[in-house]
Amino acid sequence: ETKSLMKPISGASGFRFLLLFFIVATLIAAPLFFALAPETPVALGLTLLVLGSCAPAAAALIVLRIDDDARETAAFRLRIRTWRVAGRWYLAAVLIPTAVWLAGAGVVSFLRQTVACQPAGLLIFPIVWIAALGEEIGWRGFALPRLLPRFNAVTASVFVGVMWGAFLAPLYWQRPVFVVLNFGLTIPLSVVLTWLFLRTRSSVLLCTLLHAVFYTWGQAFLMADGGEGTFGVAVFFMWVIADILVIHNGANLWRETSISRDDRGKFWWL
């Protein structure tokens, strides 16, 4: 069922559409991200961030219009609407990013005896959700399904992760170290999101939930002085989770088991 929602890249034209998607998304978002500065008022800054984050969704719609493929457009809409999946996947989407950040905080606390965190940052979850949805519609809703039929899931995830990191680079133009850290994050996070995408019948909404929870925790820690250390450790733990998924499930992030269909729900991590 998942594969039926994928459109393969066929020859040079397929890559051109994917490249066009990335260029359009970047051209829309870059001016908005470059306009963000420490002195930008909070309301204006959040508006620019959300609008820039919605650029992948806008780019996907533009390229779909140009491509004019009714079957792919229908599949694209279905990926965005899919939300009826087993509750364990909602739990995974919330617990995985939470565990990553809390593990990072635990390590920093052990090393420094103190952790910088602003719990008030968690209150912006609805705003982060909108921004994450704008990105996921593009990255997982449009780009990933075009790569999966041609490449294995890990390779496709790396492609998306690199594009995602390059897209976000202008957001951190005043803090170059975060450009590097961001590339270090988007690749393993893309692997984890691909795993969730494949397990939830191509649900963009479930990917959005994991994405939003991760960056909401990020806001809570990065709003506080010294939160960069926790962010760096969280990136490390995201790599650990991605590696575990690849080692356990293989390059396609999908492991066939001998467990019966009735019992498979008891072993959702397989």
Side-chain angles (χ1 to χ4, degrees):
E1 183 176 357
T2 296
K3 288 187 176 181
S4 68
L5 301 180
M6 310 297 174
K7 177 175 181 175
I9 292 178
S10 54
S13 62
F15 278 108
R16 282 200 295 267
F17 279 125
L18 195 60
L19 180 61
L20 177 62
F21 157 76
F22 174 74
I23 291 173
V24 171
T26 302
L27 288 177
I28 294 172
L32 299 168
F33 289 160
F34 278 126
L36 289 167
E39 62 273 12
T40 305
V42 174
L44 176 59
L46 289 175
T47 301
L48 292 173
L49 178 63
V50 170
L51 290 176
S53 298
C54 289
L61 293 173
I62 291 171
V63 175
L64 283 171
R65 182 70 175 177
I66 295 172
D67 192 10
D68 195 24
D69 185 328
R71 185 170 178 269
E72 167 59 13
T73 300
F76 173 79
R77 291 173 178 168
L78 182 58
R79 294 178 208 122
I80 297 173
R81 295 198 307 266
T82 299
W83 62 273
R84 291 183 177 179
V85 299
R88 61 184 178 273
W89 298 116
Y90 283 92
L91 194 63
V94 172
L95 291 184
I96 288 174
T98 300
V100 164
W101 278 103
L102 294 183
V107 171
V108 171
S109 176
F110 176 77
L111 296 175
R112 296 182 183 174
Q113 305 301 316
T114 182
V115 176
C117 181
Q118 289 285 353
L122 299 176
L123 298 177
I124 68 168
F125 175 78
I127 297 174
V128 178
W129 165 269
I130 296 171
L133 180 61
E135 288 200 68
E136 289 302 319
I137 288 174
W139 303 127
R140 253 58 61 178
F142 177 85
L144 181 64
R146 290 176 176 247
L147 290 165
L148 280 173
R150 180 157 183 163
F151 304 100
N152 65 51
V154 173
T155 302
S157 300
V158 171
F159 271 118
V160 174
V162 171
M163 288 192 295
W164 189 8
F167 167 80
L168 290 175
L171 184 60
Y172 304 109
W173 67 277
Q174 292 185 323
R175 305 170 78 179
V177 67
F178 272 87
V179 175
V180 178
L181 283 174
N182 184 63
F183 271 106
L185 169 65
T186 55
I187 292 174
L189 182 54
S190 188
V191 171
V192 175
L193 285 166
T194 297
W195 169 80
L196 184 65
F197 179 84
L198 293 173
R199 295 285 176 160
T200 57
R201 297 185 293 117
S202 308
S203 174
V204 169
L205 293 178
L206 264 292
C207 292
T208 299
L209 178 60
L210 191 153
H211 183 154
V213 171
F214 181 88
Y215 279 98
T216 300
W217 277 109
Q219 282 297 312
F221 284 100
L222 294 175
M223 283 173 61
D225 293 334
E228 293 85 351
T230 306
F231 178 56
V233 181
V235 170
F236 168 78
F237 279 113
M238 188 59 73
W239 274 101
V240 171
I241 291 177
D243 287 342
I244 291 173
L245 291 175
V246 173
I247 291 171
H248 187 77
N249 296 290
N252 284 317
L253 297 177
W254 189 272
R255 181 183 179 187
E256 293 295 336
T257 73
S258 59
I259 299 172
S260 69
R261 183 179 299 272
D262 292 337
D263 289 337
R264 188 160 297 185
K266 302 174 185 177
F267 304 92
W268 60 268
W269 57 88
L270 296 175

